[in-house]
Amino acid sequence: MTQKTQANISLGDPTYLKLQGFLQEEAYLLDQGAFREWLNLLDPEVRYVMPIRTTRERVHGSGLVDQMVFFDENYASLKKRIDRLDTEYAWGEDPPSRTRRFIDNIRIKQLDERTYEVRSYFLVLRSRGNVPDYQILSGQKVDTIVVYDDGCKLKHRLIYPDQATLGVENLGIFI
Amino acid sequence: MTVQDVRGKEFRLSDGTRLQDLLDVENGYISARIVSDPELYELEMKKIFARVWVPIAHVSEIPNKGDYVLRYIGDEEVIVARSEHNTIHVVLNACTHRGMPVCRSERGNSSHFRCPYHGFTYRQDGQLIGVPAHKEAFGEALDKELYHLVQAKVAIVYGLIFATFNDNPPPIDEYLGTMKWYLQMMLQHTPEGMEVIGVPQRWVVKSNWKLGGDNFVGDAYHTFMTHYSAVQLRIVPSGDPKFAYYGVHVSHDNGHGLGLIGAPPEVELPRFYGVPEDIAKKIEATLPPGQQKAFERLAYIHGTIFPNMSFGYFSWATEDGKAPGSYLTLRQWVPRGPYEMEVFTWVLAEKEASDAWKHLARETFVRTFGASGMLEQDDAEMWSNITRATKGFIAREKLNFIYRMGINRKPEQGDWPGPGTVYQGDYSEQNQLNIWRAWARLISE
Ligand code: FES
Ligand SMILES: [Fe+2]
């Protein structure tokens, strides 16, 4: 195992590109509604958590709270959510939303030989029905991703929303 | 409380429509105009939210002296704070000088609130205690003693904090009536009672605020269709599509109501929602026999404290092969204009319970209710679409909602040990009509 490095992996590094490609592939699959393929990108031990943002004074920092969360998932519960979308009764996403996930500002640190901490900004645009206004979510993801010879797996995801009151009617979509 | 209360008044809207023509509570018809009219929205702020007791927070959210949270009464922001004397105060978050909010952090701990505009400073109970350059600026013209942030009256019932800006509200016990028995059962079945885990989730739904309360107070029937996915996936452990039928439907005075659902006799249910043994012992030692009997064999409670605080006490299985988890959720439907509400939702567990039990409660809650909840997602979809479909002129003029489920059924206590007007079988719209009766009485007063 290599030493935990503090420096970010630089932009053109092959590992950087590989992990960037992984995030883009993931966003693409989710936007296509290819949820089972997306599930294949997750480690069986995955943790998928979305803390809550609160509005606090500057001296109190980011206002993030993790005692209560918007998502508290593992592989089995994510699979349950995907199974649900395949019933004909998941009204909140049927007809489905049109979503577009944008990933940017990727910053990567190596944690051990195969494992990387990948921080990225996300912007999700969600269009539902004939309503021309988008539901918008933005924030930062902090991922732990393991790189194998035949591809990457998401092991841990923390989703930090920017909004203290979410501007989406529900979180029937994955981020 | 009868339909006479509505019919007796000749309250008219600005276009001449009599309120009584919008509600036929006797025959179970309610005009769609009631969930979409901006004029009625303004009347609700004035005649309902400024007058009744509104539950807005739980004591466990502000456990220490100086703790505060920001909440809403109607669509107006208030500070809920615990003073240095350990008393809880609720004040309008608007400065007495020009109306600037004196607190802009949604939670925290502070010995005082200082207005960012000119620096007036207030104690946690809202008393003005500091004015910058007092002598040069105001001199004798301002006596601090006389000024106070606009103050609400406060009542605490089993940890739930109620507030009202009505100077002469009814006593809280009278306002809650027989509903209080059920609040004790849900919120205070152990000596320390329930506590909020973390903070509330908050999000916005483009729905009239009343649709949430109308659903939670009595709509067991929608589970059959709206939540059929949860049946198919065995999130409802029994897998029975009619799971929400097997119980009682209970109305109380002043619009409060709830449904309490167990299971058919042949279906086994864990005792007291499956709480760990140490908590079960505490329940046995704490709850009076009637509430204990009621609480012993339940899987789902849903209800609404009028006007806009609903609750659910649920048990669901979110992973195959894993035992169901249970939790109490509170949810406030905060009005933001006639076509939008902000949902605040809390999850609670017994304060004395182990971290493992609390963790299971939180996990089960987040996966089933709240913004990402596999059940609640679909509720929001219904309510926002209803609001979209009913805000037009034609719907307002011509569409009457049918509230006739159970209209010919007589109250029947059966062996139910609890008070209120009890109906057997939870598929009914009596609780919903009961809300509309309370609503109409207040609007027409
Ligand atoms: S508005 Fe608050 S001090 Fe002037
Ligand atoms: Fe529902």
Side-chain angles (χ1 to χ4, degrees), chain A residues 47 49 52-57 60 65-74 76-77 79-95 126 128 130-131 133 163-173, chain B residues 68 104-109 197-207 225-229 232-235 317-320 322 336 342 347 359 362-363 365-368 371-375 377-378 380-382 384 388:
Chain A
R47 283 283 292 147
V49 179
I52 286 179
R53 180 79 67 172
T54 60
T55 304
R56 303 290 311 273
E57 290 104 346
H60 296 294
V65 172
D66 61 5
Q67 293 97 317
M68 186 59 201
V69 294
F70 284 112
F71 277 114
D72 190 0
E73 310 301 314
N74 58 18
S77 70
K79 181 170 176 303
K80 186 72 101 181
R81 289 176 180 276
I82 289 165
D83 289 346
R84 202 182 84 85
L85 294 170
D86 284 342
T87 70
E88 282 167 22
Y89 301 90
W91 310 108
E93 269 299 311
D94 199 358
R126 182 194 204 186
R128 278 197 68 60
N130 300 326
V131 180
D133 307 319
Q163 289 160 314
T165 295
L166 297 187
V168 290
E169 305 224 318
N170 60 51
L171 284 169
I173 56 172
Chain B
Y68 66 85
R104 295 179 307 145
S105 157
E106 71 183 83
R107 61 194 307 109
N109 182 286
I197 300 177
V199 300
Q201 289 187 3
R202 300 172 62 170
W203 76 100
V204 165
V205 179
K206 292 200 181 315
S207 160
M225 191 68 183
T226 305
H227 303 308
Y228 190 60
S229 68
Q232 282 193 330
L233 295 170
R234 290 292 183 127
I235 295 169
T318 63
E319 284 178 43
D320 295 339
K322 185 169 166 179
R336 289 169 63 115
E342 178 169 352
V347 65
H359 189 89
R362 180 185 93 164
E363 172 189 285
F365 166 73
V366 168
R367 293 172 181 180
T368 51
S372 82
M374 286 186 275
L375 286 94
Q377 280 178 34
D378 297 331
E381 179 76 1
M382 301 302 150
S384 58
R388 189 170 59 83

Side-chain angles (χ1 to χ4, degrees), chain B residues 326-398:
Chain B
S326 305
Y327 58 82
L328 170 64
T329 172
L330 295 171
R331 52 242 349 285
Q332 187 163 35
W333 321 106
V334 175
R336 289 169 63 115
Y339 313 127
E340 190 173 293
M341 65 180 174
E342 178 169 352
V343 187
F344 276 68
T345 146
W346 299 256
V347 65
L348 299 93
E350 294 83 4
K351 191 168 182 173
E352 302 93 330
S354 64
D355 287 348
W357 177 250
K358 287 178 189 169
H359 189 89
L360 180 63
R362 180 185 93 164
E363 172 189 285
T364 308
F365 166 73
V366 168
R367 293 172 181 180
T368 51
F369 276 78
S372 82
M374 286 186 275
L375 286 94
E376 184 136 28
Q377 280 178 34
D378 297 331
D379 290 320
E381 179 76 1
M382 301 302 150
W383 305 335
S384 58
N385 278 286
I386 291 168
T387 297
R388 189 170 59 83
T390 55
K391 66 181 169 193
F393 178 78
I394 296 167
R396 270 187 213 164
E397 286 293 300
K398 293 188 181 289

